[in-house]
Amino acid sequence: MDARLEAIRDTVLARNPGEGEFHQTVTEVFDSLGPVHDRHPEFLEGAVLERLCEPERQIIFRVPWTDDAGGFQINRGFRVEFNSALGPYKGGLRFHPSVNLGIIKFLGFEQIFKNALTGMPIGGGKGGSDFDPRGRSDAEIMRFCQSFMTELYRHIGEYTDVPAGDIGVGGREIGYLFGQYKRITNRYESGVLTGKGISWGGSLVRPEATGYGTVIFTEEMLKTRGQSFEGQRVVVSGSGNVAINAIAKAQALGATVVACSDSSGYIVDEAGIDVDLLRQIKEIERGRLKDYEARRSAVSYVEGGSVWDIDATVALPCATQNELDGDAAARLVRNGLLAVGEGANMPSTRDAVAVFQQAGILFGPGKAANAGGVATSALEMQQNASRDSWSFAHTEERLTEIMVGIHERCSATADEYGDPGNYVLGANISGFVKVADAMLAQGLI
Ligand code: NDP
Ligand code: 2IT
């Protein structure tokens, strides 16, 4: 790392002890930015990096609610409003027992650059709770969401901060959150949340957008080597919103997705995953992946273990951070891997990224490859602002244009900075320069 940046990075790490995931993303981004500071001394003079690493606002609050047995439950809620240089804070809410401030800050920091890359007018933020939705009834989820919004509502708004979904937060939760916001404020403010239902202000394609976008970005990478998804053998991790839609799109483009996972285990279906069955089990029944095995022939379910033990030519990690380590990466590379498209945020460890890059594997980092979700959220905001709703075909076309544009921008920036094909460098520099210019233009705030 450039020595000037390393000193700033060390201060950031020391000021934010114990936030491992935040340290990891700051280090990764700083690693890319040395050459930018040679060309743009004004960024150092303007303390852009020091400002960028300090969230504009961090909100931590108590979320009390009652479970179905009448017991009192207390969770912790977070919203980190990281950077508003390009627009209102924008980013998802994650409900998962592992959530803590360091995880929300890593996600919020990534979101700043991702949102800049989309070309849409959105700043970066993230939030969530250590609430565990697993095994909770609909009524419990609703009471939790209502309590969460009873605090959050005062901090958000269509021009201020616009949350959406992430792990553990999908259409159901956004519905309960929106209902409570409307009730407290007495305003039908569609643009305050994205990922809404289609009949009440949501956008077509938003549910599919992250997974579809990841595949579109990966297809663009494959094209640079004269390849496509046609005939590829694909392994996907996770079986949630991003994973399911990535599987659907990869198979629509002619690939065979042979495996996917949840946090308990993984399935191998050599004939190609039956997406309708997967949706039925995971989205409608809210069941476990294990249930898939009994309902389709020639499928094996492996309890525990790693889905990365299955050979693939294309790997799409779509579950969570640091789920693919250096050993898994090396094994995939030895067995014929061509490309990795990150549907999740920071799913590959630093070691894994190094292995992929040294082996010349096409590697699309999350902040570029999974930006289709938030980009389509911005399209939802556009539709809300104009009180319009677009067709599926039109919205998908916009998503495709955006993903192709992000690929081009990352690729052109990597070329410009002398490291062709390095999408990590391209994404970090391209996102950073846009935000840094806007921050300087807006003065010391
Ligand atoms: P979902 O909650 O719909 O699905 C998450 C999936 O990942 C589930 O299969 C879950 O398994 C698995 N998973 C979650 N945590 C872990 C863990 N600690 N270990 C192993 N498996 C785990 O979330 P999404 O699909 O929305 O999100 C997946 C990833 O994509 C996240 O990194 C998210 O930040 C990122 N992302 C999401 C976007 C969106 O629009 N939703 C946009 C851009 C990125 P189980 O059911 O067993 O918990
Ligand atoms: O990580 C992400 O980009 C998301 N969870 C989606 C955020 C959004 O505002 O749609």
Side-chain angles (χ1 to χ4, degrees):
M1 187 183 296
D2 181 292
R4 298 163 300 178
L5 274 58
E6 195 170 8
I8 300 170
R9 195 278 313 256
D10 290 347
T11 308
V12 172
L13 267 50
R15 290 185 74 192
N16 298 279
E19 297 179 353
E21 291 83 1
F22 179 56
H23 297 179
Q24 186 180 339
T25 178
V26 167
T27 301
E28 186 230 87
V29 170
F30 276 39
D31 259 341
S32 300
L33 298 182
V36 179
H37 287 82
D38 295 335
R39 291 192 197 181
H40 294 280
E42 69 275 19
F43 293 157
L44 281 176
E45 288 155 17
V48 169
L49 287 172
E50 290 89 335
R51 286 195 270 157
L52 202 53
C53 292
E54 188 65 28
E56 291 177 15
R57 193 173 298 105
Q58 308 184 54
I59 301 146
I60 304 181
F61 52 97
R62 180 202 294 158
V63 190
W65 56 284
T66 44
D67 60 30
D68 286 346
F72 293 177
Q73 299 276 346
I74 307 296
N75 284 100
R76 186 173 291 173
F78 302 88
R79 187 71 184 169
V80 174
E81 298 180 335
F82 227 117
N83 192 290
S84 61
L86 300 180
Y89 311 108
K90 182 83 197 86
L93 297 171
R94 175 177 291 190
F95 292 169
H96 192 271
S98 64
V99 163
N100 57 40
L101 183 62
I103 288 185
I104 298 299
K105 282 173 67 179
F106 121 65
L107 291 163
F109 191 74
E110 288 276 300
Q111 202 82 44
I112 301 169
F113 307 102
K114 182 196 302 190
N115 293 3
L117 279 171
T118 65
M120 315 292 284
I122 43 180
K126 202 85 185 189
S129 175
D130 59 0
F131 172 67
D132 186 357
R134 173 104 55 98
R136 291 294 177 189
S137 69
D138 258 14
E140 289 176 317
I141 300 282
M142 183 179 75
R143 286 196 295 274
F144 176 81
C145 289
Q146 290 179 339
S147 181
F148 187 86
M149 186 53 88
T150 300
E151 171 61 32
L152 187 68
Y153 88 94
R154 69 188 81 243
H155 307 290
I156 63 175
E158 69 174 312
Y159 297 112
T160 313
D161 183 356
V162 183
D166 193 81
I167 290 177
V169 178
R172 174 181 58 171
E173 291 73 19
I174 294 294
Y176 295 145
L177 291 164
F178 184 75
Q180 184 73 352
Y181 182 84
K182 179 166 65 88
R183 185 185 192 192
I184 295 174
T185 60
N186 192 28
R187 281 164 63 84
Y188 203 111
E189 189 183 329
S190 302
V192 70
L193 289 170
T194 60
K196 299 180 293 298
I198 303 309
S199 62
W200 45 277
S203 174
L204 289 165
V205 190
R206 178 62 190 90
E208 294 84 1
T210 311
Y212 278 24
T214 299
V215 170
I216 296 165
F217 186 92
T218 308
E219 176 92 341
E220 290 302 300
M221 293 198 299
L222 288 164
K223 279 185 196 165
T224 66
R225 305 243 171 115
Q227 306 248 14
S228 72
F229 264 95
E230 182 73 47
Q232 303 293 348
R233 178 183 164 91
V234 180
V235 169
V236 174
S237 64
S239 50
N241 171 269
V242 179
I244 291 175
N245 291 294
I247 295 169
K249 190 67 171 179
Q251 298 202 144
L253 294 180
T256 306
V257 182
V258 296
C260 70
S261 60
D262 63 15
S263 57
S264 309
Y266 64 88
I267 52 166
V268 182
D269 185 345
E270 289 288 345
I273 287 170
D274 178 340
V275 180
D276 291 339
L277 176 58
L278 188 62
R279 282 192 197 281
Q280 172 67 29
I281 293 169
K282 299 297 293 188
E283 293 179 346
I284 297 172
E285 299 168 18
R286 296 186 185 276
R288 305 297 300 160
L289 197 53
K290 187 179 194 320
D291 305 340
Y292 184 99
E293 187 186 24
R295 289 157 74 170
R296 194 164 143 93
S297 59
V299 172
S300 57
Y301 172 77
V302 180
E303 185 81 21
S306 166
V307 74
W308 308 121
D309 287 344
I310 306 303
D311 295 347
T313 55
V314 178
L316 303 176
C318 296
T320 195
Q321 64 275 358
N322 292 327
E323 52 155 313
L324 200 173
D325 65 15
D327 290 343
R331 219 198 55 75
L332 286 165
V333 167
R334 275 198 308 277
N335 291 294
L337 187 73
L338 292 171
V340 179
E342 291 190 327
N345 287 306
M346 206 169 73
S348 310
T349 64
R350 304 252 309 146
D351 287 351
V353 177
V355 169
F356 293 140
Q357 291 191 321
Q358 276 156 24
I361 303 293
L362 294 165
F363 177 75
K367 64 171 76 66
N370 73 37
V374 76
T376 308
S377 280
L379 299 179
E380 183 171 330
M381 291 164 73
Q382 275 186 27
Q383 292 169 76
N384 294 155
S386 57
R387 302 191 187 280
D388 198 0
S389 59
W390 305 341
S391 69
F392 193 98
H394 174 68
T395 317
E396 192 180 17
E397 200 178 303
R398 293 286 307 268
L399 167 64
T400 304
E401 277 167 20
I402 292 168
M403 295 314 298
V404 170
I406 293 172
H407 177 270
E408 271 169 21
R409 222 163 290 143
C410 293
S411 180
T413 306
D415 289 349
E416 185 190 334
Y417 281 85
D419 199 351
N422 186 341
Y423 293 96
V424 174
L425 187 93
N428 287 338
I429 293 184
S430 166
F432 170 76
V433 169
K434 189 164 181 203
V435 177
D437 282 339
M439 287 173 70
L440 287 182
Q442 292 170 22
L444 181 61
I445 51 171

